[in-house]
Amino acid sequence: MPSNRVVHITGADDGAVAALLREGIGRIRAELDVTADFPPEVEAAAAAAAASPRMPDLDRTDLAFVTIDPEGAMDLDQALHIERDGDGYVVHYAIADLGAFVTAGDPVDLESHRRGETLYGGDSKVPLHPKVISEDAGSLVAGEVRPALLWTILVDDTGEGTDITVARARVRSTAKLTYEQAQQMIDDGSASEVLVLLKEIGELRLSRDAARGGVSLPLPEQEIDIQGDRWTLEFRSLLPVELWNAQISLLTGFGAASLMVYGRVGLLRTLPPPDPRDVERLHRTARALHIDWPAEQLYPDFIRSLDATDPAHAAMIVASARLLRGSGYVAFDGEVPAEPMHAALASEYAHVTAPLRRLADRYAAEVCVALCSGDPVPDWVLAALPALPKEMQQSGQRAKGYERAVFDLVEAGLLASRVGEDFAGVVVSLDRKDPSRGTVMLTGLGVEARVVGDGELPLGTDVRVRLEKADPATRTVEFRLLADAG
């Protein structure tokens, strides 16, 4: 099997450490006032809905859909089928239909508005919907007939989407694949036509993304892997199939946005253009790191040229994240927003492909279903739209805070026994007010943590640091720059 995982911190197979970390996650949940448990009335309503979903008349179980997800995933929002259409393609993208289970104002609906999105961290999660829906009746489980929103997208031979529609349909996934399994099949030649065409379209879409000026920071993802009482922190780079799969989701989001902009009603995911002052700061950072950035080179092309394995480039990528801050949602009815664009995607865009895990997707998709059928957008959707941007902003902040707190806890817990040890690292950012403080990424561990020195830290430079503090109780890790650093 292909492996894109690099293990960085491996804890002892120690029940005491595992218990400490699980207790810490419990404290984080208490601090953020979140719980995986649902009130009894919500569970009861979900069970009743799961037992008798509103099934659509349209039957597309003839299409051999597949799901491609991380290993162990049970909340399967998306199932894919692709076929050739002359020189182009037809993409069928089935998305879990929450409308088959949730009614406006019912207990499940009200609770989903309180939660906003699923929270992930450690060996458990705080789901948006009860598992009887999100991991069973509403999940696109292989071999089971499920209600879905079926997006049909025509794609030409350049990878450009030329037409999109969405309608309710019954679908059936024929296979549940992990990213690793799908990549292995593609690499060894055993892939089905759907996977072969996914690669073709994915590569075409990535090229279009670059030509359009889309921005994607090439940083690996940090993950927590748990096997029994053994907790491990990893950084891993994305497999190609993950990038191709993401392009299908983006393609759908672009199409959904175009439908809503044309119909002058909906919910867009937005990101303002970067502040010119932030771009100029990045130019100064590049000069400080001795990275060539020609004045005529646009920042998306510059970021795309960076290599995350190079210490100076890694620091540059971290600094570039400033340009991608400020994302949000904008709702509209009757007039297109003044700033509808998502700057990092260089296009109008909408979230519609993860309704089991994100509240906004259910509403944006309902708008698109109505627009494609020629029916009025339901009153319950229009009534909810104005409040959704703030609801999603709050849930997004909570999700980021939860995820960061769990990672901080696990880093501190797994490093606690190594206080006093020296490590190799790279200084990837400096505190604006105090350049003797900043962030170091440990070369062998993939941990990002606070570092202090006796003077200005050497940004983008290989250094040696000593672990001075790793406290699971406060979730803090701190290193000190050694005098013979570099």
Side-chain angles (χ1 to χ4, degrees), residues 214-458:
V215 180
S216 179
L217 297 181
L219 279 175
E221 293 188 343
Q222 191 176 27
E223 291 186 344
I224 300 169
D225 181 64
I226 302 168
Q227 303 293 332
D229 285 335
R230 190 177 185 86
W231 290 54
T232 300
L233 268 178
E234 308 174 333
F235 265 91
R236 70 177 190 92
S237 57
L238 297 180
L239 290 167
V241 72
E242 294 179 74
L243 302 178
W244 304 329
N245 200 47
Q247 285 299 317
I248 302 300
S249 183
L250 289 171
L251 173 67
T252 307
F254 293 147
S258 69
L259 289 172
M260 289 187 284
V261 169
Y262 183 80
R264 297 181 178 275
V265 58
L267 182 69
L268 299 178
R269 179 67 165 166
T270 61
L271 179 70
D275 189 316
R277 292 171 296 182
D278 286 334
V279 176
E280 179 53 37
R281 287 191 193 99
L282 279 185
H283 274 279
R284 292 197 295 269
T285 300
R287 287 194 293 271
L289 293 170
H290 305 291
I291 300 174
D292 183 37
W293 185 355
E296 67 276 9
Q297 186 179 33
L298 297 176
Y299 81 89
D301 296 325
F302 171 68
I303 292 173
R304 195 173 287 106
S305 73
L306 298 174
D307 178 4
T309 64
D310 179 283
H313 285 210
M316 191 72 231
I317 293 169
V318 171
S320 299
R322 176 176 297 277
L323 299 185
L324 303 183
R325 295 173 182 170
S327 59
Y329 292 86
V330 59
F332 58 104
D333 182 10
E335 186 173 341
V336 177
E339 295 187 1
M341 300 289 287
H342 191 293
L345 299 174
S347 176
E348 294 152 347
Y349 179 64
H351 276 159
V352 293
T353 62
L356 294 177
R357 294 168 284 153
R358 194 169 48 210
L359 177 66
D361 299 48
R362 171 156 61 100
Y363 286 88
E366 288 286 357
V367 172
C368 292
V369 170
L371 292 173
C372 286
S373 66
D375 296 325
V377 176
D379 289 340
W380 64 269
V381 174
L382 295 177
L385 284 180
L388 279 170
K390 184 175 181 180
E391 288 179 289
M392 296 309 299
Q393 178 189 36
Q394 292 172 338
S395 69
Q397 291 172 343
R398 185 165 57 247
K400 289 177 182 178
Y402 181 75
E403 182 180 43
R404 186 64 261 165
V406 171
F407 275 117
D408 288 345
L409 166 70
V410 176
E411 286 180 355
L414 297 185
L415 287 171
S417 64
R418 303 180 68 175
V419 171
E421 288 187 30
D422 298 347
F423 300 87
V426 178
V427 177
V428 294
S429 69
L430 303 183
D431 187 295
R432 284 191 173 186
K433 296 182 179 179
D434 182 0
S436 69
R437 294 179 172 273
T439 303
V440 63
M441 178 179 286
L442 303 189
T443 307
L445 301 180
V447 170
E448 281 188 9
R450 291 184 298 179
V451 61
V452 298
D454 294 327
E456 182 171 338
L457 297 172

